[in-house]
Amino acid sequence: MNIILKEHGLETTNNKFHVNTYNRFNIEFTHGDGVYLFDKDGNKYLDFLSGIAVTGLGHNHKSLVNVAKNQVGNLWHVSNLFESTPQENLAKKLSERSGLSKVFFCNSGTEANEAAIKFARKYGNGKSTIIVANGGFHGRTMGSLSASAQEKLWEGFYPLTPGFKSVPFNDIDAIKNVIDEKTVAIMVEPIQGESGIVIPDKSYLNEIREICNNNNLLMIVDEIQTGFGRTGKFFAFQHNNIIPDIVTLAKGIANGLPLGAVIVSDKVANVIKPGSHGSTFGGNPISIVVANKVIDIISDQFIDNVKALGLLLEKYIEKEKIEDILEIRCKGLMVGLKIDPAIDVKLLAKELINEKIVVGTAGNNVLRLLPPLIITEKHIQHFVYILKVLFKKMNISTKVS
Ligand code: PLP
């Protein structure tokens, strides 16, 4: 396999001074424009990954660039000990969009989940156990890592933070069976992203909401990957017409500038006092003004279009009847293609990148597609055409419909 990849010229080369936390492709992008990325040799790539669900509005978005530039010249840091109208405006918009009431700003997804865990335990007042799902991914810092029930992520990092009980994803009875007097919350992703775009049964979140109501537990929903229109609703939990008690956000919130947020209900907000939690950089002015613009752009009409584009992408892929795509997992523009285990999905992804389409992989041999939410039908057609050609080129059985 490695020999083949070397022939593709995509071997990792640049870890000389970096700690070796990533296998990097030896492609360096120097600029972007809309749905396209450009490398230092001037090659143009169609971006079907968006920095892993981050740049939902595409690259070099003019109105986002303008507000960021303006803010850089005015004020780029101020302590959270002082008032901030842009922060207050964003908090209001997030509260209106979610149905929750108050917001805490931080810098990333893992920090948002750390805050959520702390808030839940504070609310628990002695009750501290949080039920999580196997295969979940909530971040890399010790609390979020301990909540991410995947042994491969834990190796070498024990002892974990205690107080998490994991159960199979999409298994309501398993949740009911582990609740005890120490349980304070249930924390899940609405769709498991890192584990391969695993979409639970339609009623999963509704049933968790009901269990939480009946047992006085908090429902924590990690919308870090699924939020901001990605799945065809502003938040993925809105497909279920429920409101969680705590929602965590990052990734798409400021289209690539560092920002995380936790939105909570009144009953959670009421137990948090000055000194309970904090962040020096959290909610920095540049990210905040951009996020204010992002949230305005992601209108109901915009989200309806994301939903339509997701259905279109699914339809175009289905039409090709590619036998080695075992399953199409699609919710809005959060898409996973489960590939026959006979084909290494990492090789397929590299072939696509060679063909100048940036994609990712996840979970168990799943091709991961997270295109910018601003793609059009012609980008979908191009992607599917290249995918079809590649499967043929790789000498993989493709039935023509
Ligand atoms: N939660 C989910 C669902 C994620 O997908 C991720 C990142 O992939 C995180 C949390 C962690 O976010 P960050 O990398 O910003 O810490």
Side-chain angles (χ1 to χ4, degrees):
M1 165 73 181
N2 269 335
I3 295 160
I4 299 169
L5 295 185
K6 270 189 185 131
E7 280 170 15
H8 285 266
L10 284 167
E11 197 63 355
T12 306
T13 54
N14 62 350
N15 278 339
K16 224 171 167 181
F17 294 102
H18 276 102
V19 171
N20 199 19
T21 49
Y22 301 102
N23 277 322
R24 296 172 198 266
F25 295 112
N26 58 359
I27 298 170
E28 184 171 346
F29 295 117
T30 51
H31 62 287
D33 193 16
V35 300
Y36 295 108
L37 282 164
F38 297 84
D39 72 14
K40 60 184 181 191
D41 301 319
N43 294 306
K44 180 177 170 183
Y45 293 72
L46 178 61
D47 185 0
F48 254 50
L49 190 60
S50 311
I52 317 190
V54 173
T55 47
L57 301 182
H59 304 279
N60 197 17
H61 189 291
K62 292 293 171 277
S63 57
L64 301 185
V65 170
N66 284 340
V67 290
K69 271 188 179 164
N70 200 27
Q71 189 63 40
V72 168
N74 282 337
L75 182 72
W76 66 13
H77 175 78
V78 69
S79 163
N80 280 312
L81 294 171
F82 296 91
E83 277 187 5
S84 161
T85 301
Q87 273 193 4
E88 193 58 25
N89 290 343
L90 180 61
K92 180 167 182 276
K93 290 175 195 174
L94 287 170
S95 133
E96 285 166 359
R97 284 294 181 99
S98 65
L100 286 159
S101 64
K102 300 215 169 172
V103 181
F104 171 78
F105 291 115
C106 50
N107 304 285
S108 66
T110 199
E111 280 178 66
N113 285 329
E114 293 290 342
I117 293 163
K118 282 182 70 179
F119 293 170
R121 288 188 171 168
K122 192 82 169 166
Y123 173 85
N125 193 25
K127 295 201 294 177
S128 57
T129 305
I130 298 176
I131 299 173
V132 295
N134 292 343
F137 184 78
H138 300 291
R140 303 281 188 169
T141 52
M142 281 316 294
S144 307
L145 179 71
S146 306
S148 305
Q150 299 187 54
E151 271 175 30
K152 68 170 195 260
L153 302 176
W154 295 341
E155 223 181 285
F157 301 116
Y158 294 97
L160 301 175
T161 305
F164 295 97
K165 267 190 194 168
S166 65
V167 296
F169 186 56
N170 198 25
D171 187 338
I172 288 297
D173 288 338
I175 293 177
K176 287 181 181 162
N177 287 339
V178 296
I179 293 172
D180 63 19
E181 69 292 345
K182 279 280 191 195
T183 309
V184 66
I186 303 171
M187 177 172 181
V188 288
E189 293 161 85
I191 296 172
Q192 286 191 332
E194 299 301 308
S195 266
I197 323 298
V198 186
I199 304 173
D201 293 343
K202 268 202 177 108
S203 62
Y204 185 56
L205 292 187
N206 298 85
E207 291 182 72
I208 292 180
R209 181 66 274 179
E210 205 180 314
I211 293 172
C212 289
N213 291 347
N214 294 341
N215 294 276
N216 188 26
L217 305 179
L218 298 176
M219 178 176 187
I220 307 174
V221 175
D222 179 338
E223 291 268 0
I224 287 160
Q225 196 164 143
T226 49
F228 287 82
R230 173 59 55 189
T231 71
K233 290 276 184 192
F234 193 86
F235 295 116
F237 68 76
Q238 290 165 336
H239 290 286
N240 296 74
N241 291 314
I242 52 147
I243 302 180
D245 301 291
I246 302 180
V247 174
T248 56
L249 305 171
K251 287 194 180 275
I253 186 170
N255 208 53
L257 290 185
L259 185 64
V262 188
I263 327 175
V264 300
S265 62
D266 275 326
K267 69 178 180 187
V268 178
N270 289 341
V271 300
I272 306 303
K273 302 278 176 275
S276 294
H277 196 55
S279 166
T280 296
F281 289 130
N284 91 78
I286 305 162
S287 300
I288 290 284
V289 293
V290 171
N292 265 302
K293 214 36 178 194
V294 167
I295 201 167
D296 292 345
I297 293 169
I298 303 180
S299 61
D300 289 348
Q301 200 187 351
F302 180 97
I303 294 168
D304 286 346
N305 192 47
V306 172
K307 196 171 167 183
L309 287 166
L311 292 172
L312 209 57
L313 178 57
E314 190 173 11
K315 196 181 87 186
Y316 272 106
I317 298 170
E318 265 172 3
K319 215 170 107 199
E320 295 304 331
K321 297 195 187 318
I322 299 171
E323 269 188 2
D324 299 285
I325 298 177
L326 302 182
E327 206 184 316
I328 304 171
R329 301 170 184 167
C330 188
K331 197 84 177 167
L333 286 173
M334 186 166 181
V335 182
L337 305 181
K338 171 86 179 152
I339 306 297
D340 189 303
I343 299 151
D344 185 336
V345 76
K346 290 208 158 64
L347 176 58
L348 176 62
K350 283 172 195 219
E351 289 277 5
L352 279 159
I353 295 171
N354 261 341
E355 295 298 329
K356 308 286 180 284
I357 302 179
V358 179
V359 294
T361 62
N364 190 4
N365 224 39
V366 173
L367 187 72
R368 177 190 223 179
L369 311 174
L370 296 161
L373 309 178
I374 54 164
I375 52 162
T376 62
E377 185 163 4
K378 83 169 188 224
H379 303 120
I380 291 175
Q381 284 170 330
H382 177 68
F383 165 77
V384 175
Y385 171 75
I386 296 291
L387 188 72
K388 182 176 86 173
V389 169
L390 271 184
F391 269 105
K392 279 197 175 146
K393 189 181 135 196
M394 290 170 82
N395 209 6
I396 290 159
S397 49
T398 306
K399 276 190 201 157
V400 180
S401 56

